Amino acid sequence: RMLKKAALVERYVFIDLHNSALEGLFDNATTTMNLSSKHLFARELRGREGIRDYVAAAPDAGGTKRVENFIKLLKMSMVYINKIRDAHGVPTATCVVGDVVGKKVVSLDDIIDKASTMKEAVRALKGDGAKEVIMCATHAVFSEGAVKNINESGVDEIIITDTLQVSDVKKASIKPKLTVLSWAETLAKSVILPLHKDESTTHAFEE
């Protein structure tokens, strides 16, 4: 906190904080912005055939709000996956709340770490009859065991952003289709430049 105040930073720009309450730690700033990747994902998916017939899935109850905001952009219906964790933190998807039979499903999360939650989500969705599952996540941590879980999950495509660099070795090891979306143009034109000019950035993510 002392270093933060000494730096005299006036604005902080975040991308999909895992917990939005973290913004409160930066109370010395004039403004903080917590940007969402939902617009990048929506732009990528919008041109796909039959996209409005897809179903959006929250991988757990905690991700429901994120998905509710996302489906407004693409006029999708929504389901969510009930998830529990054991004493060791291992997730298990117990059921899918909503109908996915014969549907293509887009599951939206902020992070893929070990991909254990993703693996369980895909298992539950396909177990309930989903035809195809696309996983969208902002931060591709891909820690130890993630590639194995991804390849065993049965996911059809993973769409991530470039907030974290994924090595070429890991990319080559991932069997499902992997799409990487760049934040560069959006940040440069719609965030950094307006902030530099002391202009509003509220238009940056209007659809």
Side-chain angles (χ1 to χ4, degrees), residues 12-66:
Y12 291 91
V13 179
F14 307 101
I15 297 176
D16 273 330
L17 284 171
H18 189 59
N19 186 341
S20 59
L22 291 172
E23 287 187 73
L25 296 176
F26 300 86
D27 54 3
N28 65 299
T30 304
T31 58
T32 59
M33 298 173 62
N34 184 22
L35 309 180
S36 170
S37 293
K38 65 179 181 288
H39 296 273
L40 293 185
F41 296 136
R43 290 168 191 162
E44 170 66 21
L45 294 167
R46 183 170 285 119
R48 300 195 180 189
E49 184 177 356
I51 188 63
R52 292 196 177 184
D53 294 325
Y54 284 42
V55 174
D60 52 36
T64 302
K65 184 65 176 178
R66 181 183 301 109

Side-chain angles (χ1 to χ4, degrees), residues 26-120:
F26 300 86
D27 54 3
N28 65 299
T30 304
T31 58
T32 59
M33 298 173 62
N34 184 22
L35 309 180
S36 170
S37 293
K38 65 179 181 288
H39 296 273
L40 293 185
F41 296 136
R43 290 168 191 162
E44 170 66 21
L45 294 167
R46 183 170 285 119
R48 300 195 180 189
E49 184 177 356
I51 188 63
R52 292 196 177 184
D53 294 325
Y54 284 42
V55 174
D60 52 36
T64 302
K65 184 65 176 178
R66 181 183 301 109
V67 177
E68 285 176 345
N69 291 331
F70 172 72
I71 62 175
K72 293 175 184 176
L73 301 176
L74 294 174
K75 306 297 190 294
M76 289 179 172
S77 58
M78 173 184 165
V79 301
Y80 80 87
I81 300 163
N82 190 54
K83 182 187 74 176
I84 59 173
R85 290 185 182 272
D86 65 16
H88 303 287
V90 178
T92 299
T94 58
C95 67
V96 177
V97 181
D99 180 22
V100 296
V101 176
K103 301 285 187 179
K104 294 182 179 181
V105 181
V106 178
S107 183
L108 192 72
D109 210 344
D110 63 332
I111 187 170
I112 298 177
D113 186 0
K114 294 181 179 180
S116 52
T117 293
M118 188 207 76
K119 184 178 180 180
E120 276 296 295

